[in-house]
């Protein structure tokens, strides 16, 4: 087999889930990462694994990053690590038992990461770096018009969102591969000027760090995806990559040349999914799908590369619970006026450029990201919530990490998770999500140079008086019969008060002692007002779309309690 029979490509998840969708701090430039690369090799607790306490020392003491931002990077990298669900649940239990800052620090100090992979993770944050030339207003260079403010540039960068763009991933790796490899070289092999020599050697164990960013296979057997270190250390690439089985080392310059030669676009990325992905069948679908484009690669893609794309779903109610969804990275793109239920354990979800939609999700293992959305409601249990360049959106979340609010947001409402479906707790357990800790109401506002203050405020916490429960109107197998972990005290109290008002209203009607004709007139009057309210709020179309079709795949139904739920909301309105 010749070397042309092997291809290597950028892995999707480090860029999709690991890169924060904001211009990175200047303290994460190559200049500072070179210094960090040399520093960690000379300190205890830094190499080959980096503890939280040492990273905090480097980030806060050396790089002058805020501690919350340092933890955000550390925590985000850990989300990419393939921990078992049991391990993640044990970690959540440890955090839930912390009652003071010192106890929290003790718990965090139990966490460590692979040092070199973490260095590469910090380096790829440059994916969303804003260049001065690109950020100027207008097309010309130089440009006489004023430069935008830092907040303008941050918002523009967050709107570009390269995290899903496999072509951008390829260009980034091609352009920066030399610097990526340089970060892996020990200081002893660098000259005083920081240059690498022609005979510079990199041990196989160090090249393993590239597994974070790159993987590959043979051209004719893409189902046999392998980490890059294995492909480079075996035939047919072994010689071209300058690998010596005797010393278990690579020649740096041969390694660079070899990888550049075989580097190509991810065959499981978004481009390939759009080109040749299969259509996803829906368990529940109301109305025609003339403009909608729905594709998936879950039938061929390996773990970490499964994609489901739903684009331009207009005024539809769609529902799905299926093994095809499990572990998938889902992107909802340019949907409008839709009600979408994805009730399976998911890897990640991005809601991009959608408006006037309600999205109800199962347990999401890594993150849910709202990007450039307007008037969208998302309901989810997830490891992380991210909102960028969005307005008038509401997020009902159960999440162990602080919601991340990036530049460009306006009128974001954060609210507690307020629904359930029968298999929800089983799905949460399968991806390692617990009910505590729950940080839905403790957002972190992030800009390019660190944390931002809430002035002017871009978010609010939902007032308890505006809180209502959401009913998932589908019959499924499972034991979950209430909101996991319950509701925050003030929101439960608000629901109890509404229930008392409803009971008082019902009692008033009964005590009025209306005759038969009066009761009929009163009923007709209430129904007219109720249906008017349904139309004004948009609930009428949602309820109509939940009437089951003649043939059901997973036994959907419109329960009386669903209509009652809307009716009770109307009475309390």
């Amino acid at each position: 087999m010749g070397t042309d029979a092997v291809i290597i490509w950028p892995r999707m998840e480090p860029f999709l889930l690991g890169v924060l969708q904001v211009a990175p701090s200047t303290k994460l430039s190559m200049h500072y990462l070179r210094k960090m690369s040399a520093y960690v090799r000379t300190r205890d607790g830094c190499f080959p694994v980096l503890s939280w306490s040492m990273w905090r020392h480097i980030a806060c003491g050396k790089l002058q990053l805020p501690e919350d931002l340092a933890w955000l990077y550390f925590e985000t990298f850990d989300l990419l690590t393939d921990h078992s669900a049991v391990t993640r649940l044990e970690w959540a239990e440890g955090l839930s038992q912390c009652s003071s800052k010192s106890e929290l620090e003790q718990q965090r100090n139990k966490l460590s990461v692979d040092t070199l992979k973490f260095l590469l993770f910090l380096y790829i944050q440059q994916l969303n770096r804003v260049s001065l030339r690109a950020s100027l207003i207008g097309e010309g260079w130089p440009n006489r018009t004023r430069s935008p403010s830092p907040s303008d540039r941050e918002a523009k960068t967050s709107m570009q969102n390269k995290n899903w763009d496999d072509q951008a991933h390829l260009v980034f790796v091609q352009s920066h591969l030399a610097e990526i490899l340089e970060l892996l070289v020990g200081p002893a092999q660098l000259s005083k000027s920081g240059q690498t020599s022609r005979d510079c050697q990199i041990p196989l164990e160090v090249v393993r760090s590239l597994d974070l960013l790159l993987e590959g296979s043979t051209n004719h057997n893409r189902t046999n995806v392998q980490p890059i270190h294995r492909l480079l250390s075996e035939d047919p690439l072994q010689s071209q990559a300058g690998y010596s089985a005797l010393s278990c080392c690579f020649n740096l310059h041969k390694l660079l040349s070899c990888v550049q030669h075989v580097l190509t676009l991810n065959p499981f990325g978004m481009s390939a999914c759009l080109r040749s992905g299969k259509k996803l069948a829906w368990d529940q679908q109301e109305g025609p799908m003339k403009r909608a484009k729905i594709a998936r690669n879950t039938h061929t893609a390996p773990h970490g590369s499964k994609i489901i794309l739903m684009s331009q779903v207009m005024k539809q109610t769609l529902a799905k619970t299926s093994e095809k969804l499990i572990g998938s990275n889902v992107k909802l793109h340019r949907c409008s006026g839709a009600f979408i239920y994805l009730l399976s354990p998911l890897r990640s979800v991005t809601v991009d450029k959608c408006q006037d939609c309600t999205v109800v999700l199962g347990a999401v293992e890594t993150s849910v990201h709202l990007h450039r959305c307007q008037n969208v409601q998302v309901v989810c249990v997830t490891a992380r919530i991210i909102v960028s360049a969005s307005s008038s959106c509401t997020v009902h979340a159960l999440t162990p990490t602080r919601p991340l609010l990036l530049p460009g947001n306006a009128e974001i409402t954060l609210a507690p998770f307020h629904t359930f479906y029968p298999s929800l707790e089983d799905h949460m357990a399968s991806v390692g999500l617990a009910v505590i800790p729950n940080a839905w109401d403790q957002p972190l506002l992030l800009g390019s140079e660190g944390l931002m203050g809430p002035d002017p405020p871009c978010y609010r916490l939902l007032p308890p008086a505006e809180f209502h429960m959401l009913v998932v109107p589908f019959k499924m197998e499972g034991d979950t019969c209430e909101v996991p972990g319950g509701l925050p005290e003030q929101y439960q109290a608000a629901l109890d008060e509404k229930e008392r008002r409803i009971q008082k209203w019902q009692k008033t009607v009964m005590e009025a002692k209306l005759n038969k004709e009066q009761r009929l007139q009163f009923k007709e009057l209430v129904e007219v007002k109720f249906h008017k309210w349904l139309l004004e709020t948009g609930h009428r179309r949602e309820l109509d779309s939940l009437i089951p079709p003649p043939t059901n795949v997973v036994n959907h139904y419109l329960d009386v309690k669903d209509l009652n739920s809307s009716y009770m909301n109307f009475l309390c309105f």
Side-chain angles (χ1 to χ4, degrees):
M1 182 187 300
T3 57
D4 290 340
V6 179
I7 56 173
I8 290 173
W9 59 83
R11 294 183 61 234
M12 178 180 69
E13 284 202 344
F15 296 97
L16 173 61
L17 307 177
V19 176
L20 300 182
Q21 297 89 337
V22 65
S25 168
T26 54
K27 297 301 178 68
L28 295 184
S29 65
M30 187 62 180
H31 171 74
Y32 290 101
L33 292 182
R34 282 193 187 102
K35 290 186 175 182
M36 180 178 167
S37 178
Y39 181 85
V40 294
R41 288 174 166 88
T42 63
R43 299 294 190 277
D44 292 336
C46 289
F47 193 81
V49 293
L50 180 66
S51 66
W52 158 243
S53 60
M54 288 306 299
W55 164 239
R56 182 183 59 187
H57 169 70
I58 294 170
C60 302
K62 305 293 184 181
L63 302 178
Q64 300 298 304
L65 296 177
E67 184 173 330
D68 283 340
L69 182 56
W71 175 249
L72 176 64
Y73 284 121
F74 208 70
E75 185 179 54
T76 301
F77 178 82
D78 186 65
L79 284 177
L80 291 174
T81 307
D82 284 332
H83 296 304
S84 68
V86 172
T87 300
R88 293 202 181 277
L89 290 173
E90 290 174 347
W91 173 254
E93 182 180 2
L95 288 177
S96 68
Q97 295 174 356
C98 298
S99 58
S100 66
K101 183 173 177 57
S102 61
E103 290 181 354
L104 179 61
E105 283 303 304
Q106 290 178 7
Q107 178 67 18
R108 288 180 173 181
N109 284 336
K110 297 177 182 179
L111 189 64
S112 60
V113 298
D114 182 290
T115 306
L116 294 181
K117 286 185 178 180
F118 187 63
L119 268 171
L120 297 181
F121 163 80
L122 294 176
Y123 183 84
I124 65 172
Q125 302 303 317
Q126 303 298 321
L127 178 72
N128 287 321
R129 180 174 60 87
V130 179
S131 68
L132 178 61
R133 178 174 179 174
S135 65
L136 290 176
I137 297 175
E139 299 297 326
W141 173 265
N143 194 308
R144 295 182 180 179
T145 56
R146 69 169 183 87
S147 297
S149 67
S151 60
D152 292 336
R153 292 197 297 268
E154 289 166 3
K156 182 176 181 180
T157 302
S158 69
M159 286 190 282
Q160 291 173 346
N161 194 2
K162 298 178 182 177
N163 294 55
W164 274 95
D165 188 348
D166 46 12
Q167 184 65 47
H169 304 167
L170 176 62
V171 170
F172 181 87
V173 174
Q174 287 174 328
S175 303
H176 299 87
L177 186 58
E179 288 189 345
I180 289 172
L181 293 178
E182 183 185 329
L183 282 177
L184 304 181
V185 176
Q189 297 202 65
L190 296 175
S191 66
K192 291 183 179 180
S193 62
Q195 300 299 313
T196 58
S197 62
R198 295 293 302 177
D199 59 349
C200 181
Q201 301 290 305
I202 301 185
L204 175 61
E205 286 303 309
V206 172
V207 173
R208 284 178 182 269
S209 304
L210 290 175
D211 293 352
L212 173 71
L213 302 182
L214 301 169
E215 62 188 6
S217 71
T218 63
N219 270 332
H220 304 294
N221 190 18
R222 292 179 185 176
T223 56
N224 183 26
V225 177
Q226 301 181 52
I228 184 176
H229 83 270
R230 187 172 301 160
L231 289 168
L232 294 172
S233 60
E234 298 175 355
D235 287 333
L237 292 184
Q238 184 183 88
S239 176
Q240 186 178 343
Y243 179 70
S244 168
L246 186 61
S247 64
C248 293
C249 290
F250 292 87
N251 177 278
L252 173 63
H253 293 278
K254 287 187 176 181
L255 176 63
L256 173 61
S257 176
C258 175
V259 175
Q260 287 177 330
H261 178 71
V262 297
L263 198 60
T264 189
L265 195 66
N266 188 339
F268 304 106
M270 180 60 75
S271 300
C273 184
L274 289 171
R275 186 171 57 251
S276 57
K278 283 189 175 182
K279 189 174 181 179
L280 186 68
W282 292 92
D283 301 332
Q284 170 80 0
Q285 174 183 325
E286 179 267 330
M289 299 282 284
K290 293 180 180 179
R291 298 182 60 186
K293 299 174 183 177
I294 301 177
R296 65 179 176 90
N297 68 0
T298 54
H299 57 297
T300 58
H303 173 73
S305 298
K306 296 181 183 296
I307 292 174
I308 294 177
L309 170 68
M310 298 172 52
S311 181
Q312 301 186 70
V313 178
M314 307 291 184
K315 298 181 180 180
Q316 300 287 311
T317 295
L318 299 180
K320 185 72 174 178
T321 175
S322 166
E323 290 187 0
K324 294 183 178 69
L325 288 175
I326 296 176
S328 296
N329 295 288
V330 179
K331 183 174 184 178
L332 309 179
H333 178 251
R334 292 192 182 278
C335 299
S336 177
F339 300 93
I340 299 171
Y341 298 81
L342 302 178
L343 306 180
S344 292
L346 306 169
R347 180 67 171 163
S348 74
V349 176
T350 299
V351 185
D352 184 38
K353 301 179 183 177
C354 296
Q355 61 181 3
D356 304 321
C357 293
T358 295
V359 180
V360 183
L361 303 170
V364 182
E365 185 176 0
T366 57
S367 65
V368 174
H369 181 196
L370 274 74
H371 178 67
R372 294 189 72 181
C373 291
Q374 184 176 11
N375 193 30
V376 169
Q377 177 181 210
V378 171
V379 183
C380 60
V381 181
T382 182
R384 167 158 293 152
I385 282 288
I386 306 170
V387 185
S388 60
S390 296
S391 63
S392 303
C393 292
T394 300
V395 180
H396 286 266
L398 194 169
T399 177
T401 64
R402 300 176 65 180
L404 191 56
L405 303 184
L406 302 181
N409 292 314
E411 300 180 7
I412 302 301
T413 299
L414 302 177
F417 187 71
H418 66 330
T419 191
F420 63 90
Y421 58 91
S423 52
L424 176 57
E425 288 175 311
D426 290 338
H427 291 171
M428 291 172 61
S430 71
V431 297
L433 290 172
V435 297
I436 49 177
N438 186 4
W440 69 269
D441 57 349
Q442 304 166 44
L444 198 63
L445 279 67
L446 181 64
S448 63
E449 289 305 317
L451 307 180
M452 301 185 298
D455 188 26
C458 67
Y459 77 96
R460 66 164 188 161
L461 301 183
L462 182 73
E466 298 178 21
F467 179 75
H468 300 288
M469 291 290 290
L470 173 72
V471 175
V472 175
F474 307 111
K475 184 179 292 184
M476 302 168 64
E477 297 295 326
D479 300 322
T480 303
C481 56
E482 59 184 5
V483 176
L487 295 171
E489 183 177 347
Q490 64 272 35
Y491 291 92
Q492 184 60 59
L495 285 184
D496 293 342
E497 174 59 27
K498 289 174 182 177
E499 180 63 28
R500 285 192 291 269
R501 288 164 53 191
I502 292 169
Q503 292 176 356
K504 182 179 179 180
W505 185 87
Q506 292 173 333
K507 182 180 179 182
T508 300
V509 173
M510 292 179 62
E511 291 177 347
K513 297 181 180 180
L514 303 177
N515 59 37
K516 184 176 181 180
E517 183 179 351
Q518 289 173 325
R519 286 199 303 270
L520 182 61
Q521 291 176 345
F522 182 72
K523 178 184 176 182
E524 291 175 349
L525 177 63
V526 171
E527 287 182 348
V528 168
K529 293 288 186 181
F530 176 49
H531 287 287
K532 181 180 179 181
W533 178 81
L534 286 176
L535 290 172
E536 290 174 348
T537 59
H539 295 315
R540 176 74 268 169
R541 184 171 56 81
E542 182 180 11
L543 289 174
D544 288 344
S545 68
L546 292 172
I547 298 173
T551 302
N552 289 309
V553 180
V554 289
N555 194 18
H556 299 293
Y557 74 116
L558 176 57
D559 198 336
V560 172
K561 68 182 179 183
D562 306 323
L563 186 58
N564 285 344
S565 176
S566 292
Y567 188 55
M568 295 301 103
N569 288 345
F570 160 69
L571 294 178
C572 295
F573 187 66

